[in-house]
Amino acid sequence: MKKIDLKSLLIGILSTMLVFSTLGLRSKTDELGHLVVRSLTIEDDRGVIMGYLGNGYMQTYNQYGEPTLFIGTGKDGGGYMRSYNGNGDESAYVGTGRMGGGYIRTYNNSQKETAYLGTGSDHAGQLRVYNKDGVTSSYLGDGYYQAYNQFGERTLFLGTGTSGGGYLRTYNFEGQETVYIGTGADSSGQLRVYDSAGETGTFLGSGYFRTYNQFGKMTTYLGNGRDGGGYLRTNNKFETETSFLGTNNSNEGLINLNDKFGQSFWIRLNKGNWIFIHFLTFSP
């Protein structure tokens, strides 16, 4: 039987330990340490590239070699991420804009933008929704909401005015304002209805109602007077008063009829239940 040389065995064990120490032998649960690589390519079992990491960005691919995700740094120094559908077309973007604000964009399978959520040019937050053709259909901004038709014309506005009051505006298919409901300059509520030319047709304010013709002339007034009494006035197309029905300054009922020039005769009904008719002028 061959005799084991203890001296040689000891030297072998010490040499092995020295080699492992030099190579940085660590336990299985410990970290690998500092690893430096210029790029990293990941392939599947068939050798198809599934991912790439290097040069300041990371990109992933599907089994057909189409890009599915990109994460990296843009030309302006901001970070961003792009995701792609199965055909390799961009479907979403998350990143930093030119002015430093963040935003998200989404696209449909026709590469038309469908939504934008982020920071606008006014440095405030905003949300835009687009139709299938990439035309803006809804906009939510700093204190207001707007809707648009298929031609890109605004049809609705709901928000806060410069004076701090809320209001609603509607528009026709040509972008012409049709209705206003909200707070007026006197901080009271009001309703305006416009004709097809954009002229006020009807106005409902705090305690009164007015109508207008196509020339912008007031034709009817129904409401409260300065002294607190109610009355109705009608005007002709030139805004000349033609009739008055209401309460006069003496708190009595009064009916007043005028000719086309505003010359009047009047009928007064007082508490004595008698009628007095005064003819001032007559038209031939």
Side-chain angles (χ1 to χ4, degrees):
M1 183 175 179
K2 188 175 180 180
K3 186 177 179 181
I4 299 176
D5 187 356
L6 295 177
K7 182 178 179 181
S8 299
L9 179 61
L10 182 59
I11 293 174
I13 294 173
L14 293 174
S15 299
T16 302
M17 294 179 63
L18 178 61
V19 171
F20 285 166
S21 299
T22 303
L23 294 177
L25 179 64
R26 299 175 183 268
S27 63
K28 293 183 180 180
T29 58
D30 200 358
E31 297 181 357
L32 294 176
H34 186 62
L35 181 64
V36 178
V37 294
R38 295 189 180 277
S39 63
L40 178 63
T41 301
I42 302 173
E43 299 180 351
D44 63 8
D45 297 336
R46 299 171 300 166
V48 177
I49 296 176
M50 304 298 294
Y52 176 86
L53 176 63
N55 198 25
Y57 68 92
M58 181 187 76
Q59 183 126 14
T60 61
Y61 303 85
N62 60 21
Q63 65 271 31
Y64 305 108
E66 296 290 348
T68 57
L69 183 68
F70 178 96
I71 301 176
T73 304
K75 295 180 180 180
D76 57 356
Y80 69 98
M81 179 183 74
R82 294 180 186 272
S83 64
Y84 304 84
N85 59 26
N87 298 322
D89 297 323
E90 186 175 354
S91 58
Y93 176 99
V94 180
T96 306
R98 296 179 181 178
M99 303 181 68
Y103 66 95
I104 301 173
R105 292 183 187 271
T106 62
Y107 305 86
N108 59 22
N109 55 5
S110 300
Q111 286 298 282
K112 298 294 185 180
E113 188 171 357
T114 56
Y116 174 97
L117 174 62
T119 305
S121 57
D122 59 354
H123 304 289
Q126 62 179 234
L127 169 64
R128 288 182 181 270
V129 178
Y130 304 86
N131 63 19
K132 64 180 181 179
D133 298 317
V135 179
T136 301
S137 59
S138 299
Y139 178 90
L140 179 62
D142 186 14
Y144 65 96
Y145 168 80
Q146 294 186 129
Y148 301 82
N149 62 20
Q150 65 271 32
F151 307 109
E153 294 290 347
R154 182 172 56 179
T155 58
L156 179 70
F157 179 98
L158 175 63
T160 305
T162 56
S163 61
Y167 66 97
L168 167 70
R169 292 182 187 270
T170 63
Y171 305 83
N172 61 22
F173 65 93
E174 295 179 341
Q176 185 69 53
E177 186 173 358
T178 55
V179 175
Y180 174 97
I181 303 175
T183 306
D186 60 354
S187 297
S188 64
Q190 62 179 233
L191 165 67
R192 289 180 182 267
V193 179
Y194 301 87
D195 61 20
S196 59
E199 296 291 340
T200 300
T202 305
F203 182 93
L204 176 62
S206 179
Y208 63 96
F209 171 79
R210 296 186 300 207
T211 63
Y212 299 82
N213 62 20
Q214 66 270 34
F215 309 109
K217 302 295 185 179
M218 184 171 64
T219 56
T220 305
Y221 179 98
L222 174 64
N224 298 322
R226 295 180 180 179
D227 57 356
Y231 68 95
L232 167 67
R233 287 183 187 272
T234 63
N235 303 324
N236 62 22
K237 66 179 181 180
F238 302 108
E239 210 171 85
T240 301
E241 184 177 337
T242 55
S243 67
F244 176 96
L245 171 63
T247 305
N248 62 13
N249 295 333
S250 300
N251 292 317
E252 297 174 335
L254 177 67
I255 299 175
N256 194 76
L257 303 177
N258 301 335
D259 62 16
K260 63 182 179 180
F261 302 106
Q263 301 296 324
S264 64
F265 63 90
W266 46 267
I267 303 174
R268 174 178 293 175
L269 304 178
N270 66 10
K271 58 185 178 182
N273 293 323
W274 54 272
I275 301 176
F276 182 78
I277 302 177
H278 183 194
F279 294 93
L280 295 179
T281 60
F282 294 93
S283 299

